Structures are given as structure tokens and as C-alpha cells.
């Protein structure tokens, strides 16, 4: 099968929308960092266990999370768009005739993770900018559960599609 056709079959419009939304949320978090730097106000850098501010600093710290998550999302995008799907590390060997559906499942998992990274980064920057320390732990737990849930859920879908 032609490589371009194969890639077109596994990357759907829904995946494109999910990926674009992930980058839009990352852009929003970068804009929050730019706005915070433009105001020049000090922002909270550290919170204690109770969520109270204990250290203030430069708003430039807000660029760290979007920068690292942008790097992660770009790596996911490079894998999706430039690598050969036949070389991907799949959880199980695809049954003959099921490759397109299974690779589509893996692309969906990656694009949902990109979306989750973007949402988390936006929420993180809002929390840091506004100084809502008590929201940091719940949002981080929610992020972890969402990523693990996506991986486990798509693995279950992958197994089901591989058995058909």
C-alpha cells in the first residue's frame, strides 16, 4: 500500500481537530505568560502543602511549562506525521488485515494525549498566574488520571479491534 494513502487512512479529521486544539491550548498558556510578563507583576513560584503562597518571583517562570509541553507535543506530532507506522512500538502484534484500524487507535491515543497536555498547561498557567495554590494538587491528579485513562482505554480498544 502506498505510504501516503496509508498515512491518510490512519490520521482522521477527528485526530487533526484534537491535535490542533492541543496546540491552541498551548498557545493560550503562552499568551498568559506573555500577558503576565507585560504587566510586570510578581507571581507565585512556590506553594506550601496547604496551598498558601510562600515564594514570589518573575512571571517569566510561566514559560517553562508551555515550553516543555510544546516540546512533548511536537515529538508526538513528529511521530504521527513523519515516522513509519510499521516501526511503532505496538502493545501487540497486529493481526493481518487489522493494521489500519490498530494504527488509527494509536494515533487517536497520541492526539488525545496532546490535547490533555495542552489543557493541563493552560490550567497550570492560570493557577500559577492567579495564585490558586489549592487547585494545583487536584489539577495534577486529574491530569495524571486523564493520561493514564487514555492509555488504558485505548489499549482496551486496541485489544478489542485486534480480536475482530
Amino acid at each position: 500500500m502506498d505510504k501516503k494513502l496509508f498515512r491518510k487512512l490512519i490520521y482522521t479529521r477527528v485526530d487533526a481537530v484534537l491535535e490542533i486544539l492541543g496546540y491552541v491550548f498551548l498557545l493560550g498558556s503562552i499568551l498568559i505568560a506573555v500577558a503576565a510578563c507585560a504587566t510586570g507583576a510578581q507571581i507565585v513560584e512556590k506553594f506550601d502543602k496547604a496551598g498558601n503562597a510562600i515564594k514570589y518571583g518573575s512571571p517569566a517562570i510561566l514559560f517553562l511549562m508551555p515550553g516543555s509541553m510544546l516540546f512533548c507535543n511536537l515529538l508526538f506530532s513528529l511521530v504521527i506525521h513523519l515516522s513509519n507506522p510499521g516501526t511503532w512500538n505496538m502493545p501487540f502484534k497486529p493481526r493481518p488485515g487489522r493494521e489500519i484500524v490498530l494504527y488509527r487507535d494509536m494515533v487517536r491515543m497520541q492526539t488525545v494525549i496532546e490535547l490533555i497536555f495542552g489543557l493541563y498547561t493552560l490550567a497550570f498557567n492560570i493557577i500559577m498566574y492567579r495564585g490558586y495554590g489549592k487547585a494545583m494538587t487536584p489539577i495534577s491528579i486529574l491530569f495524571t488520571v486523564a493520561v493514564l485513562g487514555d492509555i488504558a482505554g485505548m489499549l482496551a480498544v486496541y485489544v478489542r479491534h485486534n480480536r475482530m
Side-chain angles (χ1 to χ4, degrees):
M1 182 181 294
D2 181 33
K3 188 176 179 180
K4 281 184 128 179
L5 175 64
F6 185 69
R7 192 165 305 285
K8 189 174 183 178
L9 289 173
I10 65 171
Y11 187 75
T12 65
R13 288 183 181 156
V14 172
D15 297 319
V17 169
L18 291 172
E19 191 170 20
I20 290 168
L21 281 175
Y23 284 108
V24 167
F25 290 134
L26 280 172
L27 178 63
S29 65
I30 291 169
L31 290 176
I32 288 172
V34 169
C37 287
T39 62
Q42 296 284 311
I43 64 156
V44 179
E45 283 186 3
K46 282 188 178 180
F47 299 100
D48 64 8
K49 291 181 182 179
N52 301 316
I54 57 173
K55 183 178 177 189
Y56 291 86
S58 169
I61 194 85
L62 293 176
F63 285 107
L64 288 177
M65 181 64 85
S68 62
M69 291 300 197
L70 179 63
F71 178 73
C72 292
N73 275 9
L74 288 173
L75 284 178
F76 273 120
S77 293
L78 285 174
V79 168
I80 291 171
H81 298 292
L82 298 180
S83 71
N84 178 11
T87 62
W88 292 355
N89 186 10
M90 304 290 273
F92 304 103
K93 183 176 168 97
R95 290 176 58 189
R98 304 299 304 156
E99 292 91 355
I100 291 174
V101 175
L102 298 176
Y103 289 128
R104 192 177 295 150
D105 291 341
M106 292 299 106
V107 168
R108 181 64 47 87
M109 180 185 70
Q110 290 177 335
T111 55
V112 169
I113 288 175
E114 285 184 47
L115 177 67
I116 293 169
F117 281 5
L119 279 169
Y120 176 70
T121 305
L122 182 61
F124 181 87
N125 267 12
I126 290 170
I127 289 168
M128 290 296 287
Y129 181 67
R130 301 294 296 171
Y132 299 142
K134 294 181 182 183
M136 192 63 70
T137 301
I139 199 74
S140 297
I141 291 170
L142 185 64
F143 166 72
T144 305
V145 169
V147 170
L148 292 176
D150 177 49
I151 293 169
M154 288 311 294
L155 183 60
V157 168
Y158 182 92
V159 169
R160 189 178 77 228
H161 285 164
N162 201 27
R163 288 185 183 162
M164 293 178 155

